Amino acid sequence: MFKNYHIDGNKEMIAIGTMNIVGSFTSCYLTTGPFSRSAVNYNAGCKTAVSNIVMAIAVMMTLLFLTPLFYYTPLVVLSAIIVSAMLGLIDYQAAFHLWNIDKFDFLVCISAYVGVVFGSVEIGLVIAVLISVLRVLLYIARPRTFVLGNIPNSVVYRNVEQYPNANHIPGILILEIDAPIYFANASYLRERITRWIDEEEDRVKASGENSLQSVIIDLTTVGNIDTSGISMLEEVKKIADRRGLQLALVNPGSEVMKKLNKAKFLENIGQKWIFLTVEEAVRACNYMLHTCKADSGKDGSEGWDNV
């Protein structure tokens, strides 16, 4: 960190594992972690990895010939050497920086710190990794969904909460899913989309606008989908059909398209309702609204040629 070196964490773990495996054949006991030794070397003014060789020779000579001289050395003195070296590695400003930016990152930082101080380096790493994996699982299980609106005088559609000036399209609900769709979040997404539809219908009734006619789901950021996710889309399609709504998908990735095609979902929704951009989907839905207002039972997409 102080020298701005690029460290490969995997190689570090391989090195630690190799040390323990090789050391076990010679009854070697690793009393202090390599990170603390690196801190001692740095604070002692060492510049290169050759210091490890010098340190290893010094330790070997000490264990072979000088052990009786250190027999009565208080443990508090040995601890003070490690503590004094590690104090120089504590970066309070970095901790405050994490707290200001992301509270969860601060939690990972403090958990790793507590695990290393009261346990060992391995325990601290395990705690930090477990909390980080938990964060990933929570993100996958509860992905973010947004209602998109049109930025005035443009064909750009953005989150209406982030851009308050974004306009709702009358009769059209535009949603964006910001995560892969797996079995872990399929049920949540189905409930979330249904709730968005209910809230939009209530908003339309309260404002006196045109009734909701179409639901557009932007899949641009959906990198993958499994069978549970496909089943979720099929259920959303059934919900839309029961309410007389037209479902349209925007920019599904190649992997998503392959699976939707194999599952026959594209035939179910109709390939004419798969679009490259949100703007094209909005134009198609508007075309259906204006040309087939009188006959809602017919397919209003005739004459529309999408990408």
Side-chain angles (χ1 to χ4, degrees):
M1 179 180 63
F2 290 112
K3 292 294 185 179
N4 295 320
Y5 290 159
H6 174 70
I7 303 299
D8 188 340
N10 292 331
K11 291 183 179 180
E12 293 289 315
M13 294 299 102
I14 293 175
I16 294 175
T18 303
M19 279 195 305
N20 285 280
I21 292 175
V22 174
S24 65
F25 290 102
T26 58
S27 300
C28 175
Y29 179 70
L30 195 61
T31 57
T32 59
F35 303 107
S36 58
R37 288 201 301 271
S38 298
V40 172
N41 288 351
Y42 177 80
N43 289 331
C46 300
K47 301 296 183 181
T48 67
V50 176
S51 62
N52 293 320
I53 300 177
V54 177
M55 179 183 62
I57 295 175
V59 171
M60 180 182 67
M61 299 299 295
T62 300
L63 292 176
L64 292 177
F65 305 108
L66 301 179
T67 302
L69 300 179
F70 295 98
Y71 180 77
Y72 296 101
T73 301
L75 292 178
V76 66
V77 175
L78 301 178
S79 302
I81 297 175
I82 303 300
V83 171
S84 62
M86 295 304 297
L87 287 177
L89 295 180
I90 300 177
D91 192 344
Y92 299 99
Q93 294 182 352
F96 292 143
H97 182 69
L98 291 176
W99 173 263
N100 293 328
I101 295 179
D102 193 325
K103 302 298 188 295
F104 206 103
D105 283 344
F106 177 79
L107 175 62
V108 174
C109 172
I110 294 301
S111 300
Y113 173 78
V114 172
V116 171
V117 171
F118 295 98
S120 65
V121 173
E122 289 78 7
I123 293 177
L125 290 175
V126 169
I127 294 175
V129 170
L130 289 178
I131 296 178
S132 299
V133 171
L134 177 62
R135 181 181 191 177
V136 173
L137 293 177
L138 290 176
Y139 176 77
I140 294 177
R142 293 294 184 270
R144 295 178 297 174
T145 55
F146 310 110
V147 174
L148 303 183
N150 177 244
I151 302 298
N153 302 320
S154 72
V155 294
V156 178
Y157 293 81
R158 291 293 183 267
N159 181 9
V160 295
E161 294 183 358
Q162 183 179 358
Y163 297 87
N165 62 328
N167 299 322
H168 290 273
I169 306 300
I172 302 175
L173 173 63
I174 308 173
L175 302 176
E176 178 183 0
I177 299 176
D178 190 22
I181 304 176
Y182 297 129
F183 70 95
N185 58 25
S187 178
Y188 169 80
L189 287 175
R190 182 185 66 253
E191 296 175 359
R192 193 74 182 97
I193 293 174
T194 304
R195 194 180 312 129
W196 279 123
I197 294 175
D198 293 336
E199 293 177 359
E200 182 65 14
E201 290 181 339
D202 294 339
R203 188 190 68 83
V204 168
K205 291 179 181 179
S207 61
E209 299 177 0
N210 295 331
S211 61
L212 184 62
Q213 297 293 331
S214 303
V215 177
I216 300 174
I217 301 179
D218 188 357
L219 301 179
T220 301
T221 57
V222 178
N224 206 340
I225 191 172
D226 64 359
T227 54
S228 298
I230 297 175
S231 299
M232 183 274 294
L233 291 179
E234 292 174 345
E235 292 179 13
V236 171
K237 177 65 169 60
K238 293 178 181 178
I239 294 173
D241 291 341
R242 287 196 299 267
R243 301 192 182 195
L245 305 176
Q246 177 59 56
L247 179 65
L249 304 181
V250 172
N251 196 28
S254 59
E255 189 68 23
V256 177
M257 284 289 288
K258 290 179 182 178
K259 293 183 179 181
L260 292 180
N261 186 37
K262 292 180 180 179
K264 307 298 182 181
F265 180 76
L266 296 183
E267 297 180 4
N268 183 20
I269 190 176
Q271 293 189 3
K272 56 183 171 294
W273 292 107
I274 307 294
F275 300 93
L276 184 61
T277 64
V278 176
E279 174 64 17
E280 293 173 356
V282 170
R283 284 190 292 169
C285 293
N286 281 329
Y287 178 85
M288 180 189 69
L289 291 176
H290 289 89
T291 58
C292 302
K293 211 169 185 180
D295 189 3
S296 59
K298 295 183 179 180
D299 184 3
S301 63
E302 295 180 0
W304 175 259
D305 184 14
N306 65 324
V307 176

